[in-house]
């Protein structure tokens, strides 16, 4: 039996409830060793991982890793929220009874860390001193060293975060056991994996993956799913899959903070990191706060505040290049400590490559391996599969991001001026539409979606709805979630404006009508000005749109035809969409009457204009 107490004593970890928790799970998973880690252990653990071949060198202070080839993305079918209260069941959260999931996962995990080290990672999902700090502490137990290294980049790690808790019991228990990845039946009827958040016990039990989205429990399981649940249980806050950024107008000194939700792989990281103030002269300064999670609450002054609970970026590599996202490239340079996962790699030169990094892949393929480790030189001539996995990622800390905000760790958070939603929509959704009414804004978030990716998945033009971009992270029922949003934002006396944005309208030949990426700043500037009453826009049934004159368009590469289309409402398509929305909302229980009223108001306005 492993000696847990000695390991905890050596690390000086004193919280008695944390010690009990570690001992409890060590007895179940039966590791050979227990080791408590903190940020200061990073260099040593990196070296150990290099020696063990878990990491490979990718340049000075840059590292490469592969996850098992059947383990490269979050698995929504295997992810559940478990509680002891069936009324927590929603349309999307795969609700299960807490007792059943705890028993099942305890059995899966029994003896499953034999021969391995159990790392104890105390962490904090908040800037220290935040008013939400009491919901932010956790302890992840993992039997994977690469998971430890990712957690050290993505969250604040150290024993002090759990040793000084006011209530020693108020930490999230987050247990990660990798399992035998080669024998888990991923994606088959015999799938052994389960990723459960036992939300009313603040316990996370994830078995059967070492991929970031399933294994970095501070990030998605705690920062989103658990926090979503805690936000409602406490009545105190919202936890959302949101990016957060700041814009300063240097001429007037005005400063705006904008947060917002886009479904996974719809552009949060890019929007938060890469807006191009230089394209608009030297007038604006854009700052990065966060790219994937924001927690929101109402301050004593009646404003909505937001903060990023994370300490790093877990970005999609594909299409990241000097033109689309130079900021991302700057944040993964020499000495950054970045970890690349599942991109292409050359063990001879230590270079990495992914689709869209450069126009063409390296000409000399000598040594190059694809994301599975197979030599490119040995590929069949007709093999056109990508070198990098489409969900390959880079993991880097916030401090590496060149335009990270000076106050990104300010405990008070930042006041929020606008909340935006956006998905991938190839027609109908204009560039930006502003929504001033609270219920219509929440309604817009609830009906957010992105296009279905497989033709078989739905009717043409029908979205895969993803309320507030929280579909994979929703902890309780959607109607109650809408009510909680109305309550929290409704309690602010000085409210943010809402807006819907779309960077993804396409022409018949498939080209993007709007250049997107760094030019998206122009849509946000219009929104900020609209909120401040400096421009009036044009009222439509679905919100206020900018006029061409109001948008700053100097230097934008767009045809007049495309510009007109992205600033127009297609009434017939919108009325078709309203029918889909009605069905979507009917799938939810307890949708607040205010939301239905908003739906009927928008429908009636569209009908009146038809
Ligand atoms: P996230 O998962 O929501 O953070 O999304 P990312 O920012 O990582 O982007 C996902 C994908 O969308 C990447 O391949 C980006 O290159 C692409 N993307 C992001 N922003 C834009 C945009 O404004 N226009 C276009 N056409 N593509 C974009
Ligand atoms: P993203 O975040 O896909 O939104 O970048 C990681 C995840 O949700 O798995
Ligand atoms: Mn995400």
């Amino acid at each position: 039996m492993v000696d847990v107490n000695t390991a905890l004593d050596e690390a000086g970890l004193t919280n008695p409830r944390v010690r009990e928790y570690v001992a409890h799970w060590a007895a179940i998973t039966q590791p050979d060793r227990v080791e408590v880690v903190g940020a200061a252990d990073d260099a040593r653990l990196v070296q150990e991982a290099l020696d063990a071949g878990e990491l490979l060198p990718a340049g000075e202070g840059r590292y490469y890793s592969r996850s098992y080839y059947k383990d490269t993305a979050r698995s929504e079918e295997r992810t559940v929220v478990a509680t002891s209260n069936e009324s927590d069941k929603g349309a999307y959260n795969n609700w299960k009874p807490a007792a059943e999931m705890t028993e099942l996962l305890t059995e899966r995990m029994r003896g499953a860390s034999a021969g391995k080290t159990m790392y104890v990672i105390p962490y904090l999902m908040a800037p220290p001193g935040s008013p939400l700090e009491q919901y932010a502490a956790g302890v992840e137990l993992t039997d994977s060293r690469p998971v430890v290294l990712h957690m050290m980049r993505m969250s604040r790690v150290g024993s002090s975060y759990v040793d000084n808790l006011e209530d020693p019991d108020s930490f999230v228990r987050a247990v990660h056991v990798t399992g035998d990845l080669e024998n888990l039946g991923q994606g088959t009827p015999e799938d052994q994996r389960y990723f459960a958040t036992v939300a009313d016990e603040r316990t996370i039990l994830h078995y059967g993956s070492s991929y970031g989205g399933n294994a970095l429990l501070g990030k998605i399981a705690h920062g989103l799913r658990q926090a979503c649940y805690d936000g409602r249980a406490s009545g105190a806050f919202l936890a959302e899959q949101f990016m957060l950024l700041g814009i300063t107008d240097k001429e007037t000194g005005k400063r705006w903070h904008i947060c917002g939700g886009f479904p996974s792989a719809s552009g949060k990281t890019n929007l938060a990191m890469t807006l191009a103030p230089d394209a608009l002269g030297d007038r604006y300064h854009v700052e990065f706060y966060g790219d994937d999670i924001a927690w929101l609450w109402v301050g004593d002054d009646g404003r909505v505040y937001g903060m990023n609970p994370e300490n790093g970026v877990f970005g999609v590599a594909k299409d990241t290049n000097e033109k689309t996202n130079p900021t991302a490239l700057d944040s993964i340079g020499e000495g950054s400590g970045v970890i690349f996962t599942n991109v292409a790699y050359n063990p001879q030169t230590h270079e990495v490559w992914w689709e869209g990094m450069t126009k063409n892949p390296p000409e000399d393929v000598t040594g190059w391996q694809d994301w599975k480790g197979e030599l490119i030189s040995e590929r069949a001539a007709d093999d056109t599969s990508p070198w990098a996995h489409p969900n390959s990622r880079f993991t880097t800390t916030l401090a590496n991001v060149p335009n990270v905000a000076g106050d990104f760790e300010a405990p008070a958070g930042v006041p929020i001026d606008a909340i935006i939603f956006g998905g991938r929509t190839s027609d109908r959704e204009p560039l930006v539409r502003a929504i001033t009414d609270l219920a219509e804004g929440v309604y817009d978030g609830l009906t957010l979606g992105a296009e279905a990716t497989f033709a078989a998945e739905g009717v043409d033009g029908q979205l895969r709805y993803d309320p507030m971009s929280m579909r994979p992270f929703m902890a309780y029922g959607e109607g109650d979630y809408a009510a909680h949003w109305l309550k929290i934002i409704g309690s602010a006396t000085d409210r943010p404006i809402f807006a819907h944005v779309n960077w993804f309208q396409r022409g018949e030949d498939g080209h993007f009508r709007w250049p997107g990426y760094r030019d998206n700043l122009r849509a946000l500037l219009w929104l900020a000005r609209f909120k401040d009453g400096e421009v009036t826009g044009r009222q439509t049934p679905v919100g206020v749109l900018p006029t061409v004159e109001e948008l700053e368009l100097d230097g934008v590469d767009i045809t007049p035809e495309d510009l007109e289309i992205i600033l127009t409402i297609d009434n017939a398509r919108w009325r078709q969409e309203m029918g889909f929305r009605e069905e979507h909302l009917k799938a939810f229980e307890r949708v607040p009457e205010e939301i239905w009223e908003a739906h009927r108001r928008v429908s009636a306005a569209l009908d009146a204009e038809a």
Side-chain angles (χ1 to χ4, degrees), residues 392-525:
S392 56
R393 299 267 175 168
F394 58 84
T395 309
T396 193
T397 56
L398 292 186
N400 286 328
V401 179
N403 65 334
V404 71
D407 58 350
F408 84 95
E409 296 199 273
V414 293
I416 301 295
D417 297 285
I419 298 175
I420 65 178
F421 299 111
R424 283 176 180 269
T425 321
S426 62
D427 67 356
R428 186 180 54 76
E429 268 300 351
L431 178 66
V432 51
R433 51 188 174 88
I435 300 165
T436 49
D437 178 74
L438 169 64
E440 281 177 32
V442 174
Y443 163 74
D444 188 73
L446 281 180
T447 52
L448 171 64
E451 256 141 28
T453 37
F454 302 103
E457 224 178 315
V459 184
D460 204 22
Q462 197 167 354
L463 302 180
R464 178 187 192 262
Y465 288 106
D466 190 340
M468 267 87 166
S469 74
M470 284 291 281
R471 178 173 170 146
F473 316 110
M474 201 68 92
Y476 56 96
E478 291 75 11
D480 295 333
Y481 174 84
H484 184 51
W485 258 87
L486 291 170
K487 182 184 132 194
I488 295 281
I489 306 295
S491 72
T493 48
D494 184 357
R495 277 183 211 153
I497 191 168
F498 286 88
H500 198 108
V501 299
N502 181 25
W503 322 136
F504 298 97
Q505 275 215 59
R506 288 178 188 261
E508 275 95 66
D509 61 355
H511 81 275
F512 287 109
R513 294 192 190 276
W514 171 250
Y517 292 103
R518 313 188 74 210
D519 285 315
N520 295 335
L521 175 58
R522 300 167 194 271
L524 301 187
L525 282 172

Side-chain angles (χ1 to χ4, degrees), residues 85-343:
N85 186 350
E86 196 166 354
S87 69
D88 290 327
K89 187 182 170 91
Y92 297 138
N93 68 351
N94 294 336
W95 181 87
K96 299 263 192 201
E100 181 189 321
M101 287 317 293
T102 303
E103 194 189 317
L104 189 153
L105 276 151
T106 304
E107 286 322 306
R108 294 272 149 96
M109 291 180 177
R110 199 175 292 284
S113 299
K116 298 188 178 180
T117 297
M118 173 194 267
Y119 296 96
V120 178
I121 316 171
Y123 65 78
L124 189 70
M125 296 304 291
S130 159
L132 300 181
E133 192 171 344
Q134 59 187 299
Y135 308 103
V139 179
E140 174 162 354
L141 308 178
T142 180
D143 57 10
S144 161
R145 189 165 29 209
V147 166
V148 176
L149 294 170
H150 278 89
M151 276 293 286
M152 284 176 166
R153 282 153 183 73
M154 294 303 298
S155 58
R156 296 168 178 87
V157 169
S159 293
S160 62
Y161 297 127
V162 294
D163 269 342
N164 306 313
L165 297 175
E166 213 163 285
D167 170 3
D169 208 24
S170 66
F171 63 96
V172 167
R173 290 153 169 81
V175 186
H176 168 247
V177 171
T178 305
D180 179 7
L181 293 175
E182 289 170 29
N183 292 292
L184 295 174
Q186 290 94 335
T188 72
E190 285 75 46
D191 205 326
Q192 297 295 299
R193 303 171 298 161
Y194 255 121
F195 309 114
T197 297
V198 187
D200 53 356
E201 297 174 25
R202 305 194 79 222
T203 296
I204 296 162
L205 304 173
H206 279 210
Y207 172 79
S209 169
S210 68
Y211 166 75
N214 300 320
L216 311 181
L217 303 187
K219 179 179 176 56
I220 282 167
H222 180 169
L224 285 173
R225 249 173 241 120
Q226 181 66 52
C228 173
Y229 191 88
D230 291 345
R232 172 164 175 257
S234 63
F237 67 107
L238 299 167
E240 307 295 330
Q241 189 188 209
F242 278 8
M243 62 87 215
L244 174 55
L245 59 84
I247 304 174
T248 305
D249 181 340
K250 290 189 266 185
E251 256 170 44
T252 62
K254 274 195 182 175
R255 195 153 182 231
W256 303 281
H257 296 98
I258 299 177
C259 67
F262 302 61
S264 272
S266 294
K268 290 179 301 299
T269 301
N270 277 279
L271 185 63
M273 273 191 145
T274 196
L275 294 177
D278 48 317
L280 290 161
D282 192 32
R283 179 161 175 186
Y284 304 100
H285 179 57
V286 180
E287 288 168 300
F288 175 89
Y289 285 90
D291 74 320
D292 200 45
I293 307 181
W295 291 7
L296 307 176
W297 69 97
V298 177
D300 293 335
D301 60 357
R303 296 191 72 178
V304 173
Y305 282 78
M307 61 87 167
N308 172 14
E310 301 196 89
N311 196 39
V313 177
F314 183 56
V316 175
K318 186 175 186 309
D319 288 337
T320 303
N321 61 47
E322 272 306 334
K323 195 155 167 255
T324 57
N325 197 342
T327 319
L329 292 182
D330 284 348
S331 68
I332 59 180
E334 283 191 4
S336 61
V338 62
I339 302 174
F340 297 101
T341 307
N342 295 339
V343 298

Side-chain angles (χ1 to χ4, degrees), residues 25-49:
W25 284 97
I28 293 167
T29 67
Q30 298 169 24
D32 282 9
R33 292 176 60 242
V34 172
E35 181 181 332
V36 181
V37 296
D41 298 310
D42 188 58
R44 175 179 57 81
L45 291 167
V46 163
Q47 191 56 51
E48 288 178 19

